[in-house]
Amino acid sequence: TEVAIAGRRRPSTWQRHVVVDHDRLFGVDRLIEKVRHALVSQTGPELVSLFGEGGAGKTAVAYSAVAEAVAGGAFSRVAWVSPAGPGSDVVRDLSVQLGFRLGENALGSGEERVLAVIDGLEAVADPIAVVQDLRLMGLSHPHKLLVTTRWQVRAEAAQFRLRPLAGADAIALIRHAGAEDGLLPSLDDSVLQRVVDVTEGNPYLLKFFIGQYLSHHLPFDVVLD
């Protein structure tokens, strides 16, 4: 569903640009709140970075933080892009969604507050140049730029690291993903911990294991091996 927000214009389309496996998240409530707070803050850096390994769930965490910030009326316009590769024109795509023309200080100094999201900054050929171009267009205070990336950005930013799941959070994800199976929900935590160890707590790999187990109908140990 679309999230209604306060502001002169509502970002009625930004969620359509998000590709996210957004069912239920585990072990990231505090991180989501920290990212949300960094986005709505009027005093922190305009660049907010969420980084971590592939499959850690950066997109889902970013989506949740942005949705909460938007629901609270923090932004009047929001744009979300997911670069497909080095040839992606991130600045142009953001400008189209936000509705401003390319050019220096294009956003101006109006009353609106804009949030731009680049989901997968590592796919951009020159990430620092993109950030600089957006700043030249006026994407600075009070506006915000949120990026997800596999590595820390080499720029002044509020940076948050998304770590793999561990312990009860990882096991809870396994039980949730395999809730429809007749055996898996009843397995002891020590058995499921083996899955966590093999996948190193990576949420994508945890769900991939469960998907293979459910779709191929092979014994648990066989799939794990």
Side-chain angles (χ1 to χ4, degrees), residues 170-196 205-215 217-221 223-224:
I171 291 175
L173 173 57
I174 296 173
R175 293 193 186 281
H176 174 71
E180 297 181 1
D181 182 62
L183 172 65
L184 194 145
S186 65
L187 293 177
D188 189 78
D189 283 0
S190 61
V191 177
L192 299 183
Q193 182 61 45
R194 292 166 53 200
V195 182
V196 180
L205 294 179
L206 286 169
K207 289 186 284 187
F208 179 77
F209 167 84
I210 298 303
Q212 293 295 303
Y213 170 72
L214 294 177
S215 62
H217 305 291
L218 294 172
F220 183 90
D221 286 339
V223 179
L224 187 60

Side-chain angles (χ1 to χ4, degrees), residues 23-29 32 56 61 162-163 165 168-177 203:
D23 175 20
R24 182 178 173 186
L25 302 180
F26 296 85
V28 291
D29 289 351
I32 291 172
V61 170
L162 180 56
R163 300 180 183 276
L165 294 177
D169 291 324
I171 291 175
L173 173 57
I174 296 173
R175 293 193 186 281
H176 174 71

Side-chain angles (χ1 to χ4, degrees), residues 44-119:
E46 63 262 21
L47 176 59
V48 179
S49 171
L50 176 63
F51 69 99
E53 65 183 40
K58 298 183 294 294
T59 299
V61 170
Y63 176 86
S64 296
V66 171
E68 290 183 12
V70 169
F75 299 98
S76 54
R77 281 191 281 179
V78 179
W80 184 297
V81 298
S82 302
S88 301
D89 194 338
V90 172
V91 174
R92 182 191 65 81
D93 291 343
L94 287 174
S95 70
V96 169
Q97 288 187 47
L98 292 172
F100 66 83
R101 294 182 178 179
L102 298 178
E104 188 170 345
N105 200 28
L107 285 174
S109 56
E111 297 178 357
E112 289 194 286
R113 192 161 188 241
V114 168
L115 170 62
V117 183
I118 303 176
D119 183 27

Side-chain angles (χ1 to χ4, degrees), residues 108-191:
S109 56
E111 297 178 357
E112 289 194 286
R113 192 161 188 241
V114 168
L115 170 62
V117 183
I118 303 176
D119 183 27
L121 187 65
E122 70 277 357
V124 177
D126 192 345
I128 300 302
V130 167
V131 173
Q132 292 173 341
D133 286 346
L134 290 172
R135 281 176 169 163
L136 285 174
M137 291 178 189
L139 195 68
S140 56
H141 290 295
H143 311 302
K144 292 283 183 172
L145 171 62
L146 171 63
V147 301
T148 70
T149 178
R150 297 190 180 188
W151 305 283
Q152 287 182 276
V153 296
R154 299 191 307 274
E156 181 183 354
Q159 308 218 39
F160 301 94
R161 182 177 182 180
L162 180 56
R163 300 180 183 276
L165 294 177
D169 291 324
I171 291 175
L173 173 57
I174 296 173
R175 293 193 186 281
H176 174 71
E180 297 181 1
D181 182 62
L183 172 65
L184 194 145
S186 65
L187 293 177
D188 189 78
D189 283 0
S190 61
V191 177

Side-chain angles (χ1 to χ4, degrees), residues 1-77:
T1 57
E2 295 291 331
V3 180
I5 67 164
R8 291 191 300 167
R9 297 177 61 182
R10 294 184 176 183
S12 58
T13 61
W14 72 270
Q15 290 168 309
R16 301 174 191 173
H17 297 274
V18 185
V19 179
V20 60
D21 180 10
H22 194 68
D23 175 20
R24 182 178 173 186
L25 302 180
F26 296 85
V28 291
D29 289 351
R30 291 183 63 187
L31 179 60
I32 291 172
E33 174 57 24
K34 288 180 179 179
V35 175
R36 184 203 67 81
H37 183 268
L39 292 176
V40 302
S41 172
Q42 296 279 358
T43 58
E46 63 262 21
L47 176 59
V48 179
S49 171
L50 176 63
F51 69 99
E53 65 183 40
K58 298 183 294 294
T59 299
V61 170
Y63 176 86
S64 296
V66 171
E68 290 183 12
V70 169
F75 299 98
S76 54
R77 281 191 281 179

